[in-house]
Amino acid sequence: MSAVAQSTRGSTKGKPPKERGLHAGQGRQGLLLVAPTLVFLAIIIIYPLLRAIYLSFQKDEGLDPATKLFVSGGSAGLSNYTHWLLQKCGNVDCPPGTIGALFYDALWVTLFFTAVSVIIEVLLGIWFAMIMNRDFKGRGLVRAAILIPWAIPTAVTAKLWYFIFAYDGIANRLLGGVGISPRLWTSDPWSAKFAIIIADVWKTTPFMALLILAGLQLIPGDVYEAAQIDGASKWQTFVRITLPLVKVPLMVAVLFRTLDVLRIYDLPAILTQGAGGTTSLSMLVINQIRQGGFNNASALSTLVFLLIAFTAFLFIRFGGADVIQRPPSSKKKKDQEPAVGNPVAANATSMGA
Amino acid sequence: MTAATTTTAPPASGRTEAQEIHFKSDRNAKIRMYLGLAALVIWGLAPFYWMVVTAFRDVGYTFDTTPWPTHVTLDNFRTAFSTDRGNHFGDALVHSIIIGIVTTAVAMLVGVFASYALARLNFPGKYVVLGIILGSSMFPGVALVTPLFKLFGDLGWLTGANYQALIIPNISFALPLTIYTLTAFLAEMPWELEESARIDGCTPGQAFRKIMLPLAAPGLFTTAILAFIASWNEYLLAQQFSTKQTQTVTVAIAAFTGAQPHQEPYTAVMAAGTIVTVPLILMVLVFQRAIVSGLTAGGVKG
């Protein structure tokens, strides 16, 4: 690993050209240049986050379930959080069917989407990348073709699969052709879950494949030649050479896809509208807002944020997803292959969704 | 994929048996590769093709399974643009274009400065800044809805033609993407040329305009396309904050209503979907190489 990693280390990111000395004033200049960006992010990301946290400790307007009196705000303590985490509406358990009682269902189904989608996308993505990592004619056509699902707006993707999965639609017709009875893709509990996963996998696997492919193309050919001379089988070559060398870009891609599915909204909101138990956490927040429970919704969205932040922390701390590549000298980590790819672009079509 | 069946042709003259075996396994590998590539093309094209074909089908033949419409019609496109059922798809197209262009322009302008600093300068807190930018890209949009509702509501932006209620969040979503992509491009630029140009007597302005800008143009252009696509495709906040005067295409398509309640206007929705997708697909077709290298941050050569 280490010897190979040495030869593939080639990240120039974030390193000023060596021959230029550190200009005086570079520090101040740099800070000035990034200031506008930071201001934007502060106004739209950081301030709202803090405000949502503040709101989550405020009472919603309405009848206090405990006292039966109308309250307009005031401090709620942790009651908005216990509402979700302990399923408490006031001092009693939330009645089944109310939004408050759906938290653990939404959490479970969101985690289910995440695990299944990401696992399928990794396996298919590696396979796609291996196919494309050869010399062939028509490279541009293949690349353009697999970029199409990525470019289609998720809202349109959802409508398109809604049509494909209609009862009389092409999916049931094709299944009928091989003797499988038609199913209610957008309302039956298991079918609906897999309808969403299929649409998600269709849309984002190509992207995963391109990131993995970029990693593959950094592997020098002579490594494979050496393996061939040493008589390694195809499987050994894949497991011992290819996988370790694409590990970092793969982990980064997996991290970003995981965080992306954890906040999934567009697909279930349009494709199934939550039918068959497909209400994701983000959808639950929006449903709560529509009922006028802003502060309760803020508590829930803060929980979603914490879930995502915690997941990111786990990945970066234990999963080796090196999302920010520091110059190799500045960190105690030794021998790291450059993380390849622009996982941020994965969200280009599902920004904030 | 199934392994390709080989046709056992008699050995062509002029090859030894060993060569023949090698040639065959080589040919099999090639056949397998092209089968795999065909699978990829079908993966990307088939559902999209189904949408386009359905867009041209007569509404009475919505669920036909013929690979091309037996009754070709443009009615669905007319239906998509008609406003007599409370749909305003035509207006939504205009709104999305306005929002997309402004978002892209501002995100590029702000992002270019930050990217230059991140790619070329050393400054204190550089990795903190990178961390904030990456963290923002992972941020769940749904956590912005309530606070921004309050903020924009107080500012009176949630009524009428207040595009900024959609543009400002879109910019902050597009910024991490823009900066990440541009930083990768700028880090790979041959900056020595700038100094050579200065030594040859160019002014800093000339060196930038005549040498660096043309070199950076593909990267800038690709990034702009990515930012525009991101803005064009945004749904969650657009659904929450848009009004009749600012409704975007994604919201319009998701909310498309048919002639009667509970009757899904599939063909018209597919027509609308085709209209909003085809420009993006054309961009992807024309600039696919640049887009892929942008997506993979310059990792792909060729």
Side-chain angles (χ1 to χ4, degrees):
Chain A
M1 165 111 186
S2 64
V4 179
Q6 286 285 6
S7 63
T8 57
R9 183 191 289 165
S11 172
T12 53
K13 212 174 290 182
K15 275 189 279 182
K18 278 229 165 55
E19 54 272 25
R20 293 167 68 247
L22 190 64
H23 286 299
Q26 216 185 62
R28 212 183 50 212
Q29 203 185 357
L31 286 173
L32 269 178
L33 289 172
V34 294
T37 298
L38 292 179
V39 168
F40 249 104
L41 296 179
I43 292 173
I44 291 296
I45 308 263
I46 296 164
Y47 159 76
L49 175 66
L50 297 175
R51 185 157 181 181
I53 293 171
Y54 166 78
L55 290 173
S56 69
F57 291 108
Q58 301 296 308
K59 277 191 179 134
D60 275 316
E61 285 189 359
L63 293 177
D64 187 327
T67 58
K68 301 284 183 249
L69 294 172
F70 184 83
V71 288
S72 56
S75 172
L78 288 170
S79 70
N80 288 330
Y81 288 95
T82 56
H83 171 73
W84 297 112
L85 294 172
L86 306 175
Q87 313 275 282
K88 290 283 182 213
C89 293
N91 298 326
V92 293
D93 288 346
C94 289
T98 57
I99 292 183
L102 287 173
F103 173 73
Y104 285 100
D105 295 350
L107 178 66
W108 182 86
V109 83
T110 304
L111 294 176
F112 176 78
F113 286 155
T114 307
V116 179
S117 285
V118 173
I119 287 169
I120 296 175
E121 280 160 23
V122 167
L123 297 176
L124 278 173
I126 291 175
W127 184 60
F128 282 16
M130 303 283 277
I131 291 174
M132 284 190 294
N133 194 25
R134 305 240 182 89
D135 280 329
F136 57 89
K137 292 187 184 70
R139 189 176 277 271
L141 170 76
V142 175
R143 260 200 310 223
I146 72 159
L147 272 177
I148 285 175
W150 167 85
I152 297 179
T154 312
V156 175
T157 302
K159 278 289 183 189
L160 167 59
W161 286 92
Y162 183 69
F163 173 63
I164 290 171
F165 284 133
Y167 190 76
D168 297 320
I170 186 80
N172 277 342
R173 291 290 188 87
L174 291 174
L175 288 174
V178 291
I180 298 174
S181 57
R183 51 205 58 234
L184 295 162
W185 283 101
T186 52
S187 56
D188 170 72
W190 282 109
S191 302
K193 285 182 187 72
F194 277 97
I196 288 165
I197 287 168
I198 289 167
D200 190 58
V201 165
W202 176 70
K203 185 179 170 62
T204 48
T205 301
F207 190 82
M208 195 78 125
L210 288 171
L211 286 180
I212 297 166
L213 179 65
L216 287 178
Q217 293 183 328
L218 283 185
I219 303 174
D222 47 19
V223 178
Y224 287 111
E225 250 167 70
Q228 207 175 1
I229 290 165
D230 291 344
S233 71
K234 274 197 163 141
W235 176 248
Q236 279 175 315
T237 310
F238 175 71
V239 172
R240 298 279 179 82
I241 296 178
T242 308
L243 273 187
L245 286 178
V246 295
K247 186 184 155 226
V248 173
L250 185 64
M251 281 314 282
V252 172
V254 167
L255 164 67
F256 274 80
R257 276 302 303 148
T258 301
L259 302 182
D260 213 20
V261 193
L262 284 175
R263 62 189 178 184
I264 192 167
Y265 176 80
D266 298 13
L267 265 182
I270 299 169
L271 182 56
T272 60
Q273 286 149 28
T278 53
T279 301
S280 69
L281 283 170
S282 288
M283 282 179 70
L284 202 62
V285 176
I286 298 295
N287 293 345
Q288 178 68 32
I289 289 169
R290 287 189 178 141
Q291 292 208 349
F294 263 52
N295 300 335
N296 246 332
S298 301
L300 182 57
S301 72
T302 304
L303 289 172
V304 176
F305 169 75
L306 289 174
L307 171 72
I308 286 175
F310 180 67
T311 309
F313 167 78
L314 287 183
F315 264 93
I316 292 165
R317 182 74 186 73
F318 302 106
D322 185 20
V323 283
I324 298 171
Q325 308 143 56
R326 292 159 180 258
S329 56
S330 77
K331 262 295 174 202
K332 55 190 180 297
K333 281 188 182 174
K334 52 189 192 304
D335 283 340
Q336 279 205 326
E337 311 84 64
V340 176
N342 180 354
V344 180
N347 311 338
T349 52
S350 56
M351 272 184 335
Chain B
M1 290 267 47
T2 51
T5 49
T6 50
T7 49
T8 45
S13 56
R15 270 193 231 122
T16 65
E17 208 171 318
Q19 274 177 327
E20 187 60 35
I21 290 168
H22 183 76
F23 174 76
K24 263 192 185 159
S25 72
D26 209 47
R27 200 177 51 185
N28 281 352
K30 253 207 159 65
I31 290 172
R32 268 204 305 275
M33 178 180 90
Y34 278 106
L35 279 175
L37 290 172
L40 291 194
V41 173
I42 289 168
W43 173 284
L45 282 179
F48 170 68
Y49 178 78
W50 202 241
M51 176 165 79
V52 177
V53 168
T54 308
F56 288 99
R57 272 190 218 282
D58 188 283
V59 71
Y61 300 85
T62 301
F63 290 112
D64 270 22
T65 48
T66 51
W68 42 85
T70 37
H71 296 75
V72 179
T73 172
L74 290 175
D75 281 353
N76 299 316
F77 293 91
R78 275 190 281 276
T79 312
F81 281 104
S82 79
T83 54
D84 51 6
R85 296 188 197 116
N87 300 320
H88 295 280
F89 179 66
D91 293 346
L93 271 175
V94 176
H95 303 156
S96 273
I97 290 168
I98 293 171
I99 291 163
I101 288 174
V102 178
T103 298
T104 305
V106 179
M108 290 297 290
L109 192 69
V110 175
V112 122
F113 293 122
S115 308
Y116 181 86
L118 291 170
R120 295 205 63 199
L121 306 177
N122 257 335
F123 56 91
K126 179 168 168 174
Y127 292 100
V128 177
V129 172
L130 261 177
I132 291 173
I133 290 165
L134 272 171
S136 306
S137 75
M138 305 173 186
F139 196 81
V142 82
L144 301 177
V145 176
T146 48
L148 289 184
F149 234 119
K150 298 247 179 204
L151 177 66
F152 292 168
D154 293 343
L155 294 166
W157 286 2
L158 296 180
T159 53
N162 279 299
Y163 286 107
Q164 64 273 29
L166 300 172
I167 289 169
I168 291 174
N170 273 9
I171 292 169
S172 53
F173 288 139
L175 262 181
L177 165 76
T178 311
I179 292 169
Y180 208 90
T181 314
L182 267 182
T183 302
F185 272 122
L186 293 181
E188 294 197 347
M189 294 247 305
W191 292 100
E192 314 78 60
L193 288 181
E194 196 177 27
E195 286 188 24
S196 321
R198 293 294 311 282
I199 291 163
D200 291 347
C202 277
T203 62
Q206 277 178 319
F208 179 75
R209 250 197 344 269
K210 294 193 169 167
I211 313 287
M212 297 326 286
L213 204 56
L215 281 172
L220 290 169
F221 196 71
T222 305
T223 311
I225 289 178
L226 293 182
F228 186 86
I229 289 179
S231 170
W232 185 258
N233 294 358
E234 208 283 325
Y235 173 70
L236 171 62
L237 291 184
Q239 184 207 22
Q240 297 303 313
F241 298 147
S242 67
T243 63
K244 205 174 190 170
Q245 289 100 316
T246 57
Q247 190 191 46
T248 65
V249 282
T250 49
V251 180
I253 285 177
F256 221 90
T257 48
Q260 285 101 32
H262 307 301
Q263 188 210 42
E264 190 64 34
Y266 289 114
T267 51
V269 170
M270 293 301 112
T274 303
I275 292 166
V276 305
T277 306
V278 161
L280 303 183
I281 306 267
L282 288 178
M283 276 190 210
V284 169
L285 278 175
V286 175
F287 304 107
Q288 49 93 9
R289 177 170 301 185
I291 287 176
V292 169
S293 68
L295 289 182
T296 50
V300 175
K301 305 268 184 290

